Amino acid sequence: MIVMDLETTGLLMPAASHIDEQPHIIEFAGIKLDDDFKAIGHLEFMVNPGFQLPQKIIKITNINDDDLKDKPPFISYFDKLAEFFLGEKTLVAHNLPFDKGILKYNLDRIDKTTNFPWPIKDLCTIEVGQQIWGKKRKLSDLYQEVTGQEHKGAHRAMADVKATVEVLRWYKAKGHLDD
């Protein structure tokens, strides 16, 4: 199982939008979990999208153009990313349709979508939480609910992945996940 999070240059545009209008990844983080939800690997990297970041994104993520200026483009990470995903059965994220959509557009740009080892099962922690609480909840709210602690470092990929892992472990402990 892989739990992932992305920081991006913006929000997904309608599917009919040109690919150039779709957001770019600026930060990726993933933690690989075994069947007991113990971390057995991780991958983290930052990406230069090839253009200046919108001020809104800098404010939300605290990632700026200087942080990315010496980072390689997304294509440079394809082999490591594919190796990290290879053989995994489940892909997890908080708001998985967003993260998976962004990853797909970034793979489309380098003509690697069909060459990518996508896990066969998707799990979105927002959707599981919606079944429990009857509404969509922010990751920071869920994290605080299940751990009693404030989610520090929100909107940074690895901090959000770690928070998602804790929410996922709580879901499993409470019997909210299908086996």
Side-chain angles (χ1 to χ4, degrees), residues 60-127:
I60 292 169
T61 65
N62 203 29
I63 297 170
N64 62 50
D65 295 318
D66 283 342
D67 296 328
L68 303 177
K69 69 181 178 186
D70 296 327
K71 303 300 181 200
F74 179 74
I75 194 169
S76 299
Y77 297 104
F78 177 77
D79 289 341
K80 283 183 181 179
L81 192 61
E83 183 179 331
F84 186 69
F85 273 69
L86 189 63
E88 294 303 313
K89 292 185 279 187
T90 306
L91 180 59
V92 181
H94 190 75
N95 195 6
L96 181 62
F98 174 81
D99 290 285
K100 191 173 180 181
I102 298 287
L103 180 55
K104 182 187 175 305
Y105 283 121
N106 281 262
L107 291 166
D108 285 347
R109 286 188 185 103
I110 62 171
D111 198 29
K112 297 288 189 183
T113 304
T114 57
N115 294 13
F116 194 72
W118 294 102
I120 57 171
K121 184 178 176 188
D122 290 343
L123 179 62
C124 177
T125 55
I126 285 181
E127 292 173 8

Side-chain angles (χ1 to χ4, degrees), residues 120-169:
I120 57 171
K121 184 178 176 188
D122 290 343
L123 179 62
C124 177
T125 55
I126 285 181
E127 292 173 8
V128 175
Q130 194 168 5
Q131 293 171 8
I132 298 166
W133 289 285
K135 63 181 180 178
K136 293 181 180 181
R137 299 190 59 199
K138 292 183 188 178
L139 179 58
S140 56
D141 294 341
L142 282 176
Y143 181 80
Q144 187 158 14
E145 175 95 16
V146 305
T147 67
Q149 300 173 18
E150 180 183 346
H151 174 37
K152 297 183 184 204
H155 300 294
R156 287 306 300 264
M158 188 53 83
D160 285 350
V161 167
K162 288 177 179 179
T164 303
V165 168
E166 290 306 314
V167 169
L168 195 63
R169 287 176 176 150

